[in-house]
Amino acid sequence: MKNSIRPKHPDITSEMWDTIDEIIAKWKNTPGSVITVLRECQDVVRYLPSELLHYISYGMGLPLSQVFGVATFYSFFSLTPKGRHTIKVCTGTACYVKGIKETINRIYGKYNLKEGGTTEDRRFSLEGVRCLGACGLAPVMVVNKDVHGAVSADKVVQILEKYE
Amino acid sequence: MNKTRLQLMLCGGTGCDSTGSEKVRIALLQEIEKHGLSEEVQIIVTGCNGFCAVGPVMVVQPEGIFYQKIQPEDAKELVDSHFLKGTPIQRLMYKNPANKKIIPKMDDIPFFSSQVFRAMRNKGLIDPEVIDEYIARDGYFAAAKALNEMSPDDIIKEMLESGLRGRGGAGFPAGMKWRFAKEAQGDVKYVLCNADEGDPGAFMDRSILESDPHSVIEGMIIAAKAINAHKGYIYCRSEYPLAVKRLNIAIEQAKNYGLLGEDILGSGFEFDVEVYQGAGAFVCGEETALMRSIEGKRGMPIPRPPFPAHKGLWKKPTILNNVETLANVPQIILNGGKWYASVGTATSKGTKVFALSGDVCNIGLVEVPMGTTIRKLVYDIGGGVPDKRKFKAVQLGGPSGGCVPEQYLDTPIDYEEITKVGAIMGSGGAIVMDNTTCMVDMARYFMDFIQDESCGKCTPCREGTKRILTLLENMCKGKGQPGDIEQLEELCEVVKHSSLCGLGQTASNPVLSTLKYFRDEYEAHIFDKTCPAKTCPALVKFEVDPNKCKMCGLCFKGCPADAIQWEKKAVAVIDKTKCIKCMSCYDRCKFDAIM
Ligand SMILES: Cc1cc2nc3c(=O)[nH]c(=O)nc-3n(C[C@H](O)[C@H](O)[C@H](O)COP(=O)(O)O)c2cc1C
Ligand code: SF4
Ligand code: SF4
Ligand code: FES
Ligand code: FES
């Protein structure tokens, strides 16, 4: 698409827009591909600002209601910005039985951060995910791509302090 | 296949990967190269071995020596002592916790010896990213047989004879589903694989996909031939990046070998598979919602009939099967339905994979013959409950299931028998809970999950689960009222009978089953304002029982809020104005002195 119709957005650089155009071009003619497009665009920008959803709707030739409907239905998509580090706490049954709730409470106590939220300084975002397939290490937390096992409430802050 | 002297089957599954198996691989590789053994000793990174609790694990073949908890520092000794001099290292072997005896061989360890591997027959034995290794273990022989020698009716006959029932939870006979789709009119049909694995405490399907992706693809080819479909999708959770990657590699390799695409193996049959990633919605595991999702819509269920076998994806005849169901198919075709049915009970044939976790010693992935008792699963294979605590219940079937308490541990694993005791077979999540788990809180946990995941289409499911959740939350907070239990029961019935899809219809199960066996815990929360398992913080007093306190100071050392006063030889005291109810003191106290 032409550069001139790209909306301005502080979190989307022009290289990102180029990639987004490529994604749209690749999937435009595949029926049912909107979820894939949203995922790939989110990989680029790290979240889906509403300007981007408008752009995707226009680019894919899909009603805005369908694009927004899909983006809000699936928990994988985030319409708000993410922190520099993403903390994923496993809220699967095994981790719950092994005490992830206390770990989450401790994170809240220290960083005033709740599930689905981002700290004001955009240092951390916290997400709850279901079973990461590492129940043997429960309770499990993933920071960016690092898996941490047996994260008791007592250990969690110490681990997180390493992420600036 | 190769002439190496030793093969090191190093687990690269999610569990072992996170305990550092990649570092172990690098260290081993360096040592092996240093000693010029690269020709003789080969490292093969496998999918989950099953015994995640003691990872990183490695099996040395052909001897079958099992090593656990390997660290990079152990690499030197392994090479020097074992691979060069032939003396295995006892320090890294499994010890029987009962008598402290070392068990060197994998097959002799009780965790493995009671298992029968069918769906997981290749786990830990092949590199999932190399198609030749799959083929070397008879891979794609069944597809060749089905495509070249069997008619669709022959395939369906074997499937019916095998008695294989859907492993995704509902247990519908796979052969019957295929027959409906075969008989449905239409020139475009689809074969789908459900790899959404929604149960939030289970990872069976993930492990199969990661350790043996070709078995699922082969199962789909056979299904395609049976119903005459030419296109398939694997709907995989986006939370499973490794599974997606391995599936894509497997599909690519199968295409290069002429096992997917046009004219497969010269049979004239055409079939293609694509991976479709979900985006995090539990309800998309439901068949009609899953199909809407592949169509790029909001994943909401629609009423049946019409059944997917007649009008499924893009309104075309479609079959949907679970990962484990499909992974069983090649062996059924190769060895015959009778062979498959030779194991199991009257109505449940073959084996079932469980993800055993929670308060149990041997956390991991296990596959047992149908008919095995739950006791055997928890005690013989699982090794029982750790830390000298007491077994309370095992939860089967996750948010749609229920719990099996002590008195029903001898129930055999069988679709009908498990349902009789108020749980369900489910997809294979088996979570063991000890006496420190509060059953009201567990019911609350599952209802919270369901409430969050209800797609909102039906009012009873959307609103009913919210009200059930509020009641349970209040009980856990000490605000339960007389009459709440009755109200719970009533709401559960309504949600069960007036919801459209399985999510709503089964949402009450965790509540009803805990109510059935642990009603006294509910009553304690409501009437005595106590939590017998002491897990609901609102019902713990946060006082130190001076009669039980042994003055050890452990609570004091762990308190993050400076709320505990303690000196040597003095009973600890909690300042309730400072206490943040974090439960740390409670967890640390070995003498049960925090009330
Ligand atoms: C809410 C809900 C979630 C489900 N989630 C899954 C799932 O994650 N994986 C799965 O295989 N089946 C799931 N099912 C069952 C599927 O609808 C379907 O019965 C199954 O995939 C059919 O395959 P099978 O016959 O081989 O078991 C779910 C059902 C419901 C109602
Ligand atoms: S029962 Fe619940 S999840 Fe299922 S369709 Fe109705 S509202 Fe959606
Ligand atoms: S619950 Fe936490 S804050 Fe309260 S006394 Fe115990 S350790 Fe300290
Ligand atoms: S429940 Fe947390 S990793 Fe499985
Ligand atoms: S991940 Fe290694 S044994 Fe399960």
Side-chain angles (χ1 to χ4, degrees):
Chain A
M1 274 179 281
K2 290 209 186 72
N3 286 348
S4 56
I5 57 159
R6 288 177 177 173
K8 283 212 180 348
H9 196 282
D11 291 338
I12 312 181
T13 63
S14 84
E15 290 80 42
M16 287 181 183
W17 282 118
D18 292 343
T19 318
I20 291 166
D21 280 343
E22 282 164 27
I23 296 169
I24 293 176
K26 183 167 73 176
W27 292 104
K28 196 172 165 43
N29 296 317
T30 312
S33 59
V34 58
I35 296 177
T36 311
V37 171
L38 290 175
R39 170 174 331 96
E40 292 189 359
C41 288
Q42 180 167 285
D43 282 346
V44 175
V45 185
R46 304 195 60 227
Y47 75 105
L48 298 170
S50 82
E51 291 86 342
L52 178 55
L53 293 179
H54 280 268
Y55 191 74
I56 292 172
S57 138
Y58 177 78
M60 299 285 293
L62 290 170
L64 194 56
S65 61
Q66 189 187 345
V67 176
F68 266 88
V70 167
T72 51
F73 182 82
Y74 295 96
S75 66
F76 188 78
F77 300 123
S78 170
L79 274 55
T80 49
K82 287 270 163 317
R84 288 193 298 287
H85 305 289
T86 306
I87 310 170
K88 292 185 181 156
V89 280
C90 178
T91 55
T93 322
C95 290
Y96 189 78
V97 168
K98 294 264 183 160
I100 198 76
K101 194 170 62 171
E102 275 98 57
T103 305
I104 295 172
N105 283 343
R106 194 65 66 88
I107 295 174
Y108 175 70
K110 173 78 184 176
Y111 302 103
N112 193 18
L113 178 60
K114 281 194 174 161
E115 264 182 77
T118 299
T119 52
E120 252 170 45
D121 58 1
R122 282 217 203 171
R123 178 175 174 195
F124 291 121
S125 292
L126 182 66
E127 290 170 21
V129 293
R130 316 288 185 183
C131 193
L132 291 154
C135 310
L137 313 170
V140 182
M141 168 176 86
V142 182
V143 187
N144 304 329
K145 293 216 147 76
D146 313 335
V147 181
H148 300 275
V151 270
S152 58
D154 283 351
K155 271 173 43 187
V156 68
V157 171
Q158 205 186 335
I159 297 172
L160 288 178
E161 279 303 295
K162 291 191 201 123
Y163 296 87
E164 273 310 317
Chain B
M1 180 174 42
N2 47 49
K3 296 182 187 63
T4 48
R5 180 169 61 87
L6 294 177
Q7 283 158 328
L8 314 182
M9 316 306 287
L10 178 66
C11 178
T14 311
C16 291
D17 189 43
S18 47
T19 44
S21 70
E22 179 56 19
K23 289 202 184 99
V24 172
R25 187 187 68 84
I26 294 168
L28 277 170
L29 202 63
Q30 283 171 349
E31 284 297 320
I32 289 170
E33 277 172 5
K34 203 158 89 191
H35 288 85
L37 291 175
S38 307
E39 296 283 303
E40 285 176 55
V41 182
Q42 183 192 10
I43 304 177
I44 298 173
V45 178
T46 69
C48 177
N49 158 291
F51 207 172
C52 313
V54 295
V57 306
M58 179 170 85
V59 183
V60 183
Q61 296 291 17
E63 305 161 325
I65 304 266
F66 180 84
Y67 285 128
Q68 61 178 27
K69 297 191 183 164
I70 310 172
Q71 296 302 313
E73 302 80 65
D74 300 326
K76 191 169 175 321
E77 195 183 344
L78 277 166
V79 174
D80 282 349
S81 159
H82 186 167
F83 309 151
L84 274 172
K85 304 199 183 103
T87 318
I89 307 175
Q90 302 219 336
R91 177 172 66 80
L92 296 173
M93 291 175 185
Y94 178 80
K95 272 190 210 69
N96 187 338
N99 54 18
K100 304 275 176 256
K101 270 218 180 106
I102 286 173
I103 308 180
K105 294 207 175 172
M106 175 163 94
D107 293 345
D108 299 330
I109 297 173
F111 177 81
F112 296 101
S113 59
S114 311
Q115 300 193 47
V116 171
F117 297 115
R118 285 190 172 179
M120 302 200 299
R121 60 186 277 270
N122 287 330
K123 68 130 214 196
L125 295 175
I126 61 169
D127 179 337
E129 298 187 9
V130 181
I131 189 171
D132 301 287
E133 299 202 4
Y134 178 70
I135 293 173
R137 295 199 26 96
D138 298 341
Y140 290 108
F141 285 35
K145 181 174 169 189
L147 293 181
N148 289 314
E149 298 165 25
M150 296 171 84
S151 70
D153 285 322
D154 294 339
I155 298 174
I156 289 168
K157 187 172 151 280
E158 290 300 335
M159 291 299 292
L160 285 169
E161 207 160 74
S162 75
L164 177 68
R165 294 168 67 173
R167 300 294 190 240
F172 191 80
M176 236 193 273
K177 198 185 268 186
W178 295 14
R179 196 174 63 200
F180 294 146
K182 182 208 156 231
E183 284 163 2
Q185 298 299 318
D187 39 353
V188 180
K189 296 183 182 178
Y190 295 103
V191 172
L192 309 183
C193 168
N194 193 340
D196 199 40
E197 193 147 66
D199 175 352
F203 54 103
M204 305 76 48
D205 295 347
R206 168 187 199 143
S207 277
I208 293 175
L209 295 171
E210 288 181 1
S211 58
D212 198 12
H214 287 286
S215 67
V216 178
I217 296 170
E218 189 178 2
M220 290 178 78
I221 297 173
I222 297 165
K225 164 85 188 212
I227 70 163
N228 198 27
H230 304 295
K231 175 88 198 169
Y233 292 93
I234 302 173
Y235 188 90
C236 188
R237 298 182 69 184
S238 52
E239 289 90 339
Y240 286 180
L242 186 61
V244 172
K245 176 181 149 210
R246 295 223 164 123
L247 278 170
N248 280 322
I249 293 175
I251 291 172
E252 205 46 49
Q253 292 179 343
K255 277 188 186 153
N256 291 338
Y257 275 56
L259 294 161
L260 284 176
E262 290 168 20
D263 190 20
I264 300 174
L265 298 170
S267 64
F269 188 76
E270 178 185 349
F271 184 62
D272 245 319
V273 179
E274 212 178 290
V275 179
Y276 194 94
Q277 288 190 57
F282 174 64
V283 75
C284 285
E286 195 276 340
E287 54 181 16
T288 59
L290 184 147
M291 292 168 200
R292 297 296 84 70
S293 185
I294 296 183
E295 291 168 2
K297 303 188 184 127
R298 293 163 71 101
M300 287 192 174
I302 51 168
R304 298 169 301 180
F307 286 96
H310 297 113
K311 273 189 183 174
L313 182 63
W314 310 110
K315 299 205 164 49
K316 305 290 181 199
T318 304
I319 54 172
L320 169 70
N321 277 118
N322 162 267
V323 169
E324 189 185 332
T325 315
L326 288 164
N328 275 307
V329 171
Q331 294 164 79
I332 293 174
I333 296 306
L334 212 51
N335 304 324
K338 271 209 190 69
W339 165 82
Y340 191 81
S342 65
V343 159
T345 65
T347 57
S348 309
K349 301 295 186 193
T351 57
K352 177 77 196 90
V353 181
F354 288 92
L356 192 60
S357 67
D359 299 317
V360 61
C361 292
N362 303 335
I363 290 174
L365 210 60
V366 303
E367 181 169 4
V368 290
M370 296 281 189
T372 306
T373 64
I374 298 175
R375 186 184 301 280
K376 190 163 181 183
L377 183 69
V378 174
Y379 284 94
D380 296 0
I381 298 173
V385 175
D387 300 334
K388 299 199 174 118
R389 293 199 179 140
K390 231 177 118 297
F391 172 87
K392 188 171 201 169
V394 50
Q395 214 279 352
L396 299 177
S400 315
C403 58
V404 180
E406 177 86 44
Q407 67 264 38
Y408 291 115
L409 271 179
D410 291 311
T411 307
I413 293 167
D414 171 288
Y415 287 93
E416 282 68 31
E417 292 299 319
I418 293 182
T419 308
K420 271 188 209 156
V421 299
I424 62 165
M425 175 82 81
S427 58
I431 306 210
V432 179
M433 297 179 273
D434 69 19
N435 56 339
T436 63
T437 307
C438 168
M439 298 318 260
V440 184
D441 186 55
M442 267 336 275
R444 188 205 59 77
Y445 166 81
F446 283 119
M447 198 46 70
D448 185 45
F449 174 84
I450 288 293
Q451 208 282 118
D452 200 36
E453 296 292 349
S454 163
C455 79
K457 186 165 174 163
C458 324
T459 319
C461 173
R462 188 182 64 230
E463 297 302 322
T465 57
K466 225 179 259 172
R467 288 190 50 202
I468 296 175
L469 179 63
T470 310
L471 282 171
L472 293 168
E473 279 176 346
N474 283 343
M475 288 178 199
C476 293
K477 284 188 202 143
K479 293 183 192 149
Q481 304 280 334
D484 277 3
I485 296 184
E486 291 70 23
Q487 212 186 336
L488 258 185
E489 286 170 326
E490 214 181 294
L491 280 165
C492 283
E493 288 304 314
V494 174
V495 174
K496 194 174 181 169
H497 295 294
S498 47
S499 296
L500 171 66
C501 86
L503 188 149
Q505 287 158 7
T506 59
S508 313
N509 289 355
V511 179
L512 292 174
S513 106
T514 45
L515 259 176
K516 181 165 166 192
Y517 298 119
F518 301 97
R519 203 179 178 97
D520 51 336
E521 282 194 36
Y522 281 83
E523 287 167 351
H525 281 73
I526 296 173
F527 301 108
D528 311 336
K529 306 290 177 215
T530 58
C531 171
K534 291 205 197 157
T535 30
C536 297
L539 297 176
V540 177
K541 286 194 219 136
F542 295 102
E543 286 170 11
V544 179
D545 182 343
N547 299 320
K548 285 190 178 163
C549 177
K550 292 273 189 302
M551 309 172 196
C552 69
L554 269 183
C555 58
F556 165 79
K557 285 170 199 149
C559 176
D562 270 334
I564 302 185
Q565 293 162 21
W566 169 84
E567 277 162 28
K568 272 194 182 129
K569 294 186 188 147
V571 167
V573 180
I574 297 178
D575 178 348
K576 286 201 207 173
T577 59
K578 286 191 187 162
C579 172
I580 56 168
K581 300 197 171 187
C582 73
M583 302 296 277
S584 161
C585 53
Y586 174 77
D587 289 336
R588 283 166 169 253
C589 182
K590 301 263 183 294
F591 309 103
D592 208 14
I594 314 284
M595 298 186 292

